[in-house]
């Protein structure tokens, strides 16, 4: 009897340790381990000190674990310039690569900040103008190596770059008429506030999965009296291009062009 109880206790202890090991392994697979994190932190620090970056005063975050890719990320940021920051990615205690080229040298941070600050401004202004508390985003077509991008530059909505605004409103109805009326109100708002966008996208869907999707609509067309007729024409043209594309796919012929002769994308209108 005593031997049986002893073996049961041993078995219970083995099962308990096994369960703890499984839990610990699962936790580390999501959070990483302290030793690897410390090694990555040290590697990132040495990486900065042993390069020309050491003179720029970068401060390093604590290493965080990305369980999806099995790597550690250390964020380097300058306290003197909002656009001088990048990521250092480490594996096995060594620096694998960094994002300095894209984020800093190719002005990725400047462009992202410009887009985010413009988005925040528009969300407030459009809600104040009675256009709804909508989701939106701003994208720019200016090349990354353009002289207009300067790290640390002050936000300026009049910066001479071509911009597109993407709107996700809550339309009163999933119809082309409702979309046209809403965009006309948006166009009047742009004119009043001095916002200069080249193109506008609009997307909305309801609980019944009805969808309105307009892409690459020239903002200059919105104020014209035939705007609704223009959208209806683009809806027909969109249908024709879709039919041609399906036919090209079936026959294996070259794909139809996606841009007009002036290199601008074709406006598209879908109502479903």
């Amino acid at each position: 009897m005593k031997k049986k109880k002893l073996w049961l206790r041993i078995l219970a202890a083995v099962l308990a340790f096994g369960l703890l090991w499984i839990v610990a392994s699962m936790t580390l697979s999501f959070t990483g381990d302290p030793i690897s994190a410390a090694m990555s932190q040290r590697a990132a620090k040495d990486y900065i000190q042993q390069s020309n970056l050491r003179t720029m005063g970068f401060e390093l975050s604590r290493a965080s674990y990305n369980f999806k890719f099995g790597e550690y990320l250390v964020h380097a940021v300058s306290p003197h310039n909002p656009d001088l920051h990048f990521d250092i990615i480490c594996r096995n205690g060594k620096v694998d690569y960094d994002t300095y080229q894209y984020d800093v040298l190719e002005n990725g941070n400047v462009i992202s900040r410009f887009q985010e600050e413009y988005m925040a401004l528009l969300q407030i202004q459009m809600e104040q103008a009675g256009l709804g508390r909508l989701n939106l985003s701003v994208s720019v077509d200016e090349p990354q190596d353009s002289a207009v991008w300067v790290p640390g530059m002050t936000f300026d909505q009049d910066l001479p770059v071509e911009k597109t605004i993407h709107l996700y409103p809550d339309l009163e109805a999933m119809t082309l008429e409702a979309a046209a009326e809403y965009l006309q109100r948006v166009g009047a708002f742009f004119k009043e506030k001095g916002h200069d966008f080249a193109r506008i996208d609009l997307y909305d869907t309801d609980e019944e999965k009805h969808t309105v999707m307009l892409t690459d609509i020239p903002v200059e067309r919105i104020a014209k009296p035939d705007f609704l007729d223009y959208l209806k024409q683009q809806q027909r043209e969109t249908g024709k291009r879709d039919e041609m594309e399906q036919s090209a796919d079936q026959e294996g012929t070259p794909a139809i062009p996606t841009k007009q002769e002036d290199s601008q994308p074709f406006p598209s209108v879908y109502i479903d």
Side-chain angles (χ1 to χ4, degrees):
M1 181 64 71
K2 289 182 178 181
K3 285 186 177 182
K4 185 176 181 180
K5 287 184 178 181
L6 179 61
W7 278 108
L8 288 174
R9 290 177 180 175
I10 293 173
L11 179 60
V14 171
L15 291 175
F17 279 116
L19 182 60
L20 287 173
W21 181 83
I22 293 173
V23 171
S25 297
M26 292 180 64
T27 300
L28 291 177
S29 68
F30 285 96
T31 64
D33 65 89
I35 296 176
S36 296
M39 292 173 62
S40 297
Q41 190 80 42
R42 181 64 184 179
K45 182 178 180 180
D46 292 343
Y47 183 74
I48 293 290
Q49 293 300 318
Q50 295 171 10
S51 69
N52 294 332
L53 299 175
R54 67 180 181 277
T55 63
M56 300 177 69
F58 284 106
E59 298 176 353
L60 301 182
S61 70
R62 296 185 63 180
S64 60
Y65 185 64
N66 186 330
F67 72 90
K68 184 177 181 180
F69 299 106
E71 59 192 21
Y72 288 85
L73 183 150
V74 178
H75 192 61
V77 58
S78 168
H80 310 296
N81 191 313
D83 299 318
L84 296 184
H85 58 89
F86 66 101
D87 293 328
I88 302 171
I89 291 82
C90 302
R91 291 177 182 271
N92 302 318
K94 298 180 180 179
V95 173
D96 192 16
Y97 64 96
D98 68 66
T99 63
Y100 182 79
Q101 177 70 29
Y102 175 82
D103 290 342
V104 178
L105 298 183
E106 297 179 8
N107 295 313
N109 292 335
V110 185
I111 297 172
S112 294
R113 181 170 62 84
F114 175 82
Q115 294 174 158
E116 291 169 1
E117 291 187 8
Y118 211 152
M119 177 186 71
L121 172 66
L122 285 169
Q123 283 182 321
I124 294 173
Q125 287 187 345
M126 294 181 77
E127 184 177 357
Q128 291 173 339
L131 293 168
R133 184 176 296 178
L134 71 165
N135 292 320
L136 62 90
S137 62
V138 173
S139 59
V140 296
D141 297 324
E142 188 75 10
Q144 287 182 282
D145 59 356
S146 171
V148 303
W149 305 121
V150 179
M153 62 187 290
T154 302
F155 171 76
D156 180 7
Q157 74 173 47
D158 297 323
L159 196 69
V161 297
E162 188 170 284
K163 305 177 292 293
T164 298
I165 184 169
H166 314 270
L167 301 177
Y168 306 89
D170 185 12
L171 297 176
E172 294 183 0
M174 296 294 103
T175 64
L176 198 56
E177 289 75 11
E181 189 274 335
Y182 183 80
L183 288 182
Q184 287 171 333
R185 293 168 57 201
V186 170
F189 160 79
F190 285 167
K191 184 176 181 180
E192 177 187 356
K193 297 295 186 180
H195 297 297
D196 181 22
F197 286 94
R199 289 175 297 279
I200 190 167
D201 296 349
L202 182 147
Y203 177 85
D204 194 15
T205 186
D206 60 16
E207 295 179 354
E208 285 74 35
K209 304 301 181 183
H210 299 136
T211 300
V212 174
M213 184 168 65
L214 286 63
T215 60
D216 294 310
I217 305 299
V219 172
E220 63 181 13
R221 293 292 282 108
I222 296 177
K224 295 185 178 181
D226 64 342
F227 181 54
L228 179 58
D229 291 335
Y230 167 81
L231 291 182
K232 291 179 178 178
Q233 176 62 29
Q234 295 308 316
Q235 185 180 19
R236 291 190 289 270
E237 294 296 330
T238 300
K240 291 179 183 179
R241 288 197 300 272
D242 286 347
E243 291 177 1
M244 293 173 59
E245 186 174 344
Q246 291 176 2
S247 177
D249 288 341
Q250 293 173 356
E251 298 174 3
T253 55
I256 63 171
T258 58
K259 293 186 177 182
Q260 305 174 67
E261 292 183 359
D262 58 0
S263 297
Q264 296 297 331
F266 287 110
S268 297
V269 176
Y270 294 90
I271 306 292
D272 184 15

